[in-house]
C-alpha cells in the first residue's frame, strides 16, 4: 500500500476504535499554544474528522459530535473555524491540483492560514455571475483589479478564494476563473464594515492591479463558475447546519496574532464569528432562561421551543440523508439554508418573548449576559448572506422542481454585450 492508502486504512479503523477521552487526556493542555494544539488535531485527522482520509477520518456526523461534546466538556479549544475550513479546503479537495492541495489544505486544517471569500461585488450579489472584477494574464501571473464586498473575515485573511472575469467576450457564466488569491500584497486594501452588533465580521476589499500566480488557478481557466457552485454548495450546507465542531474563540492565520497564545486563554472568549448560530446549546439556553423567569409556563413559549428543537432534529436527519447519498433533490443545500433562516427567525422571536423587556438591554449584566440580545441583532443576516432566501427559492424552483427560468438574455450572449448591474 502507498503511504496515503495506509494512513487512510489506519484512520478508518481508528474511527471505530479511537478513544476520544483518552486522546484528549494525552494531547490537550490549556498551556500549549494554539498553533501546537491545532497541529495535534490536524495531524491525527481530528481538525475536520468528517473529511475522508488522509485529511480527516471519514467520521459520521454523530461521531464528530461525540468529539465536539468531549472537547466542550473539558473546555478544550475547538479546531480552526471560518472560511478556510468551511469553503476553501473542501473546494480545493474537490477541484485543486495535488500541488495546490498539498500546499494549502494542511495549513488550513492546522490553522496556519486564514482565508476569506472574494465573491460578492457591489453590483453582483444576487446575480453573482454578473461580477466585473477582472483578471488579465501577464506571463506566469494574473493581474487582478476590482472591488468585493461582504467579505467575511477579510481583515484577518492570508488568502482568499477569488472569482474574477478573465474573458469578457465569453458568455456570462463561462468567462470566470477561480483563484487562490494572496491577500498580503500591495494593491489589496481591506476595509471592515461595522455591524449593528458592534462586530466587524464583513469587509469591503479593493483590489488594484494585485497579482496571483497562474498555478494558483483552481480548476480550469474560464471554468470558475462550475468551481464556484461547488463552493456555494458547501456554504449552504454549512449555514444549514452540516458542520459539527467545538466552538473556537481563536482566529486562524498569521494576521490575528492568536497562534502563539496559550490555547486555554480562549476559554471564556466568544466564538470568533459571533453568537449568531442556533444549535442545541441555544435551545438549552432559552429553556434555562424561561425556567428562571417563569415564562416556561406560557404555552406559546413551550410550543415554540419544542418546534425549534424539532427543526434542529430535522436538519440533523437531512444532513444524514445527504451524507448517505440518499438526497432526494438537486437542491438539498438550498433547502437546508432556507430552514436555517426559519430557525433563526423562530429563535429570535421566542428568545425576545422569554426575555420580555430585558431583550432591550445589553451587556454582561443583562438577562442572558447579552448573548440573546446580540443574536437578535444578528438574526437578519442568515437570510441574506450565502445567497438570500429569495435566491434559494429561485434555485429550488429551477433546479429542484424543473420550473422555467426567469426571462432574460440568451445564455450565449457575450458578457461584454449584456447590460450591467447598477
Amino acid at each position: 500500500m502507498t503511504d496515503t492508502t495506509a494512513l487512510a486504512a489506519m484512520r478508518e479503523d481508528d474511527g471505530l476504535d479511537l478513544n476520544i477521552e483518552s486522546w484528549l487526556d494525552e494531547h490537550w493542555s490549556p498551556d500549549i499554544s494554539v498553533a501546537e494544539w491545532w497541529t495535534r488535531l490536524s495531524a491525527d485527522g481530528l481538525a475536520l474528522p468528517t473529511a475522508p482520509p488522509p485529511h480527516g477520518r471519514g467520521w459520521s456526523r454523530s461521531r464528530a459530535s461525540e468529539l465536539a461534546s468531549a472537547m466542550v466538556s473539558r473546555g478544550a479549544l475547538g479546531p480552526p473555524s471560518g472560511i478556510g475550513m468551511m469553503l476553501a479546503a473542501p473546494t480545493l479537495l474537490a477541484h485543486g491540483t495535488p500541488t495546490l492541495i498539498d500546499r494549502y489544505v494542511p495549513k488550513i486544517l492546522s490553522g496556519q492560514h486564514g482565508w476569506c471569500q472574494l465573491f460578492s461585488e457591489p453590483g453582483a450579489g444576487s446575480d453573482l455571475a454578473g461580477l466585473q472584477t477582472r483578471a488579465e494574464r501577464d506571463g506566469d501571473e494574473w493581474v487582478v483589479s476590482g472591488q468585493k464586498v461582504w467579505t467575511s473575515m477579510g481583515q484577518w485573511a492570508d488568502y482568499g478564494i477569488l472569482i474574477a472575469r478573465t474573458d469578457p467576450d465569453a458568455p456570462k457564466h463561462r468567462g470566470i476563473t477561480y483563484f487562490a488569491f494572496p491577500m498580503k500584497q500591495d494593491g489589496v486594501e481591506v476595509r471592515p464594515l461595522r455591524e449593528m452588533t458592534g462586530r466587524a465580521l464583513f469587509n469591503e476589499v479593493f483590489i488594484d492591479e494585485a497579482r496571483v500566480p497562474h498555478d494558483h488557478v483552481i480548476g480550469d481557466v474560464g471554468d470558475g463558475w462550475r468551481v464556484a457552485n461547488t463552493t456555494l454548495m458547501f456554504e449552504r450546507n454549512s449555514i444549514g447546519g452540516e458542520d459539527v465542531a467545538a466552538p473556537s474563540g481563536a482566529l486562524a492565520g498569521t494576521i490575528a496574532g492568536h497562534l502563539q497564545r496559550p490555547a486555554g486563554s480562549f476559554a471564556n472568549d466568544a466564538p470568533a464569528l459571533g453568537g449568531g448560530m442556533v444549535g442545541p446549546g441555544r435551545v438549552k439556553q432559552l429553556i434555562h432562561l424561561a425556567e428562571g423567569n417563569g415564562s416556561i409556563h406560557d404555552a406559546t413559549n413551550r410550543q415554540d421551543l419544542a418546534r425549534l428543537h424539532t427543526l434542529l432534529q430535522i436538519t440533523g436527519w437531512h444532513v444524514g440523508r445527504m451524507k448517505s447519498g440518499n438526497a432526494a433533490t438537486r437542491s438539498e443545500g438550498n433547502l437546508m439554508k432556507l430552514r436555517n433562516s426559519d430557525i433563526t427567525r423562530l429563535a429570535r422571536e421566542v428568545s425576545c418573548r422569554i426575555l420580555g423587556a430585558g431583550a432591550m438591554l445589553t451587556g454582561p449584566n443583562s438577562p442572558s449576559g447579552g448573548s440573546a440580545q446580540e443574536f437578535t441583532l444578528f438574526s437578519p443576516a442568515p437570510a441574506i448572506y450565502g445567497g438570500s432566501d429569495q435566491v434559494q427559492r429561485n434555485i429550488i424552483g429551477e433546479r429542484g422542481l424543473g420550473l422555467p427560468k426567469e426571462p432574460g438574455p440568451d445564455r450565449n450572449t457575450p458578457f461584454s454585450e449584456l447590460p450591467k448591474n447598477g
Side-chain angles (χ1 to χ4, degrees), residues 20 32 54 128 156 236 292 320 323 375:
I20 291 173
I32 63 175
L128 180 59
W156 301 301
R236 289 157 186 160
K323 292 282 189 181
F375 169 77

Side-chain angles (χ1 to χ4, degrees), residues 17 19 30 50 76 81 103 132 141 153 158-159 193 216 253 290 295-296 347 359 393 398:
D17 301 332
N19 186 299
T50 54
S81 59
R103 180 186 297 160
Q132 297 186 57
E141 294 182 318
M153 307 181 74
D158 297 281
Y159 290 89
L193 298 169
H216 284 42
S295 61
I296 194 69
R393 292 188 177 96
E398 293 173 6

Side-chain angles (χ1 to χ4, degrees), residues 221-238:
V221 173
D223 195 32
W225 184 248
R226 183 174 66 91
V227 182
N229 271 283
T230 297
T231 302
L232 294 173
M233 177 191 69
F234 287 124
E235 181 176 39
R236 289 157 186 160
N237 291 349
S238 297

